[in-house]
Amino acid sequence: MRARTVVWIALLTFAGLGNCAGGQDARPAGAPATSATRPKVTFAFERIGLPVPKYRLSIQDDGATVYEGEELPQVSGQESSASLPSHPFKSVADISPATVARVFALGQKLKRFNVTCASKAKNIADTGTKTLSYVAPDGTGTCTYNYTENKDVEALTEIYQGIAETMDRGRELDHLHRYDRLGLDAAIAFLSQEVTEGHALEVGTIAASLRSIAADAEVMERVRTRATKLLALIPGELPQNAP
């Protein structure tokens, strides 16, 4: 009897260890998804010679966005930054539900990127190596391309590059606001133009930078006015008092 009891305890212990396999990754039924388990669509880009030669931009289905990569240092005058070492950056933000829905709809339409993205055309200029990846409980996939003729892949590329453009400009504004306030004039004018032309998307990702500029009485008035107008484009953003 004693021997059977020992065996039974051992079996129960083994079963318990089996249920704990995966440890911290295990979630009880109905528990909320974590950042490690939420569906995610990622765009990676790499091209030598650009101010941001390498980056990854990941968007979760709840809008949580992580933008990380390498950036060449900003230099003044005729000095070149190409020979200087790059430094890493990482930003987190939330994007609008409409953009999230568009990204995931395209990702699913493209069979979670289990498709051929790259064009078969010859002698195409190097526009950078781009990789789209989809990770979710309903499937995964990835595809890499320099140039694509697929309109849906092209649309996703434009969305991600538009968000990256905005977040790059946001970092530039932060740098200028701290070190060169006079330089803010040209930088925010260019950002405003990019937004108007649809090249810079999801202005809400840099709302904190724009608020800081709009509230700074030591910044020239037209810069603060442009920052306020950009803030007004963000859904749900409280109105700012124009200078």
Side-chain angles (χ1 to χ4, degrees), residues 101-149:
R102 177 70 171 151
V103 165
F104 278 86
L106 287 169
Q108 291 170 358
K109 184 179 179 182
L110 290 162
K111 301 178 181 180
R112 304 173 187 85
F113 310 130
N114 290 298
V115 296
T116 300
C117 290
S119 169
K120 295 181 180 180
K122 304 293 184 180
N123 302 319
I124 296 175
D126 180 15
T127 61
T129 301
K130 309 168 190 71
T131 301
L132 284 165
S133 59
Y134 187 106
V135 177
D138 63 346
T140 62
T142 184
C143 66
T144 299
Y145 55 103
N146 166 45
Y147 173 77
T148 184
E149 293 167 340

Side-chain angles (χ1 to χ4, degrees), residues 62-235:
D62 62 351
T65 298
V66 178
Y67 181 41
E68 55 190 331
E70 298 177 5
E71 181 179 38
L72 294 177
Q74 298 185 33
V75 295
S76 59
Q78 298 181 347
E79 184 182 358
S80 173
S81 62
S83 60
L84 300 176
S86 60
H87 58 82
F89 66 85
K90 182 176 181 179
S91 303
V92 295
D94 290 300
I95 63 170
S96 67
T99 297
V100 173
R102 177 70 171 151
V103 165
F104 278 86
L106 287 169
Q108 291 170 358
K109 184 179 179 182
L110 290 162
K111 301 178 181 180
R112 304 173 187 85
F113 310 130
N114 290 298
V115 296
T116 300
C117 290
S119 169
K120 295 181 180 180
K122 304 293 184 180
N123 302 319
I124 296 175
D126 180 15
T127 61
T129 301
K130 309 168 190 71
T131 301
L132 284 165
S133 59
Y134 187 106
V135 177
D138 63 346
T140 62
T142 184
C143 66
T144 299
Y145 55 103
N146 166 45
Y147 173 77
T148 184
E149 293 167 340
N150 186 309
K151 297 301 181 185
D152 294 324
V153 174
E154 191 176 88
L156 264 178
T157 303
E158 291 176 355
I159 290 171
Y160 274 92
Q161 290 185 327
I163 296 171
E165 170 73 5
T166 299
M167 297 182 79
D168 287 342
R169 295 300 164 189
R171 286 198 318 282
E172 180 187 24
L173 292 177
D174 289 340
H175 177 83
L176 293 172
H177 191 191
R178 183 174 181 181
Y179 298 108
D180 180 14
R181 289 178 177 171
L182 292 178
L184 281 171
D185 191 23
I188 202 164
F190 181 73
L191 172 60
S192 298
Q193 180 181 341
E194 289 284 274
V195 170
T196 299
E197 295 177 356
H199 301 313
L201 306 177
E202 291 291 327
V203 179
T205 59
I206 61 168
S209 301
L210 295 173
R211 288 190 211 107
S212 178
I213 292 170
D216 188 349
E218 295 186 16
V219 171
M220 68 175 68
E221 183 174 322
R222 67 167 172 256
V223 171
R224 296 171 61 202
T225 298
R226 283 198 172 108
T228 300
K229 288 180 178 178
L230 287 169
L231 284 167
L233 300 175
I234 304 171

Side-chain angles (χ1 to χ4, degrees), residues 11-29:
L11 288 172
L12 286 175
T13 303
F14 180 79
L17 289 171
N19 289 336
C20 291
Q24 296 178 353
D25 293 334
R27 285 193 300 121

Side-chain angles (χ1 to χ4, degrees), residues 6-76:
V6 171
V7 171
W8 179 243
I9 292 172
L11 288 172
L12 286 175
T13 303
F14 180 79
L17 289 171
N19 289 336
C20 291
Q24 296 178 353
D25 293 334
R27 285 193 300 121
T34 66
S35 60
T37 61
R38 300 204 74 104
K40 182 191 306 182
V41 177
T42 300
F43 176 79
F45 178 86
E46 185 170 356
R47 185 185 175 195
I48 296 173
L50 297 179
V52 182
K54 182 188 296 186
Y55 69 80
R56 287 170 54 88
L57 181 57
S58 298
I59 298 174
Q60 290 184 173
D61 66 338
D62 62 351
T65 298
V66 178
Y67 181 41
E68 55 190 331
E70 298 177 5
E71 181 179 38
L72 294 177
Q74 298 185 33
V75 295
S76 59

